[in-house]
């Protein structure tokens, strides 16, 4: 069975929202003598976390994102997402709630969206 796929939007992801960070897989303990002992928690390659978003999307795309978020039950289901910088398809989960900020004026209902993702 294949993973759900992040929806295609009318606009591309906005680079001003893009961030990528690596998990620190280490455990560290400070000793009484002032030195630090460290080791890896696990042998797995460090996971990546991503932040991305969209600027001034239409209300229809906001609804599409909300429906997708509901369909994967927030951070419960792994889905495929295309990294806008590398172009790689990555399996991720929502790391946090979706955040919508209304930026429309008058009849133009526009939204800025921020999205946090993480590798499972």
């Amino acid at each position: 069975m294949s993973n759900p796929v992040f929806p295609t939007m009318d606009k591309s992801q906005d680079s001003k929202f893009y961030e990528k960070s690596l998990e620190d897989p280490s455990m560290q303990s400070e000793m009484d003598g002032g030195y630090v002992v460290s080791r890896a928690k696990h042998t797995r390659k460090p996971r990546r976390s991503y932040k991305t978003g969209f600027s001034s999307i239409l209300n229809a795309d906001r609804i599409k994102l909300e429906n997708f978020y509901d369909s994967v039950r927030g951070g419960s289901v792994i889905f495929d997402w295309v990294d806008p910088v590398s172009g790689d398809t990555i399996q991720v989960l929502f790391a946090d709630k979706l955040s919508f900020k209304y930026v429309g004026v008058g009849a133009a209902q526009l939204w800025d969206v921020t999205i946090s993702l993480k590798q499972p």
Side-chain angles (χ1 to χ4, degrees):
M1 185 169 125
S2 63
N3 295 328
V5 178
F6 190 81
T8 303
M9 308 295 283
D10 288 338
K11 287 191 162 191
S12 298
Q13 296 174 55
D14 192 334
S15 62
K16 76 177 181 182
F17 295 110
Y18 184 84
E19 292 180 32
K20 179 179 178 179
S21 57
L22 278 72
E23 160 188 70
D24 179 8
S26 70
M27 292 179 62
Q28 299 180 353
S29 298
E30 193 169 321
M31 299 291 131
D32 290 338
Y35 55 93
V36 176
V37 175
S38 65
R39 69 173 182 85
K41 290 182 201 173
H42 46 75
T43 58
R44 180 181 181 163
K45 178 177 147 182
R47 291 175 283 210
R48 275 73 173 148
S49 296
Y50 301 90
K51 290 187 180 178
T52 189
F54 297 89
S55 292
S56 302
I57 63 171
L58 297 172
N59 203 46
D61 277 344
R62 180 192 59 82
I63 292 168
K64 188 188 301 186
L65 273 176
E66 282 187 29
N67 289 339
F68 180 73
Y69 185 81
D70 290 343
S71 74
V72 295
R73 296 180 297 286
S76 301
V77 177
I78 295 170
F79 60 90
D80 292 338
W81 168 74
V82 177
D83 183 326
V85 174
S86 69
D88 296 335
T89 299
I90 303 167
Q91 293 184 341
V92 293
L93 298 162
F94 284 110
D96 201 358
K97 63 186 180 211
L98 292 180
S99 178
F100 298 98
K101 180 180 178 185
Y102 184 74
V103 294
V105 176
Q109 294 184 358
L110 303 173
W111 299 85
D112 284 352
V113 183
T114 53
I115 302 167
S116 296
L117 305 169
K118 65 181 178 182
Q119 289 182 314

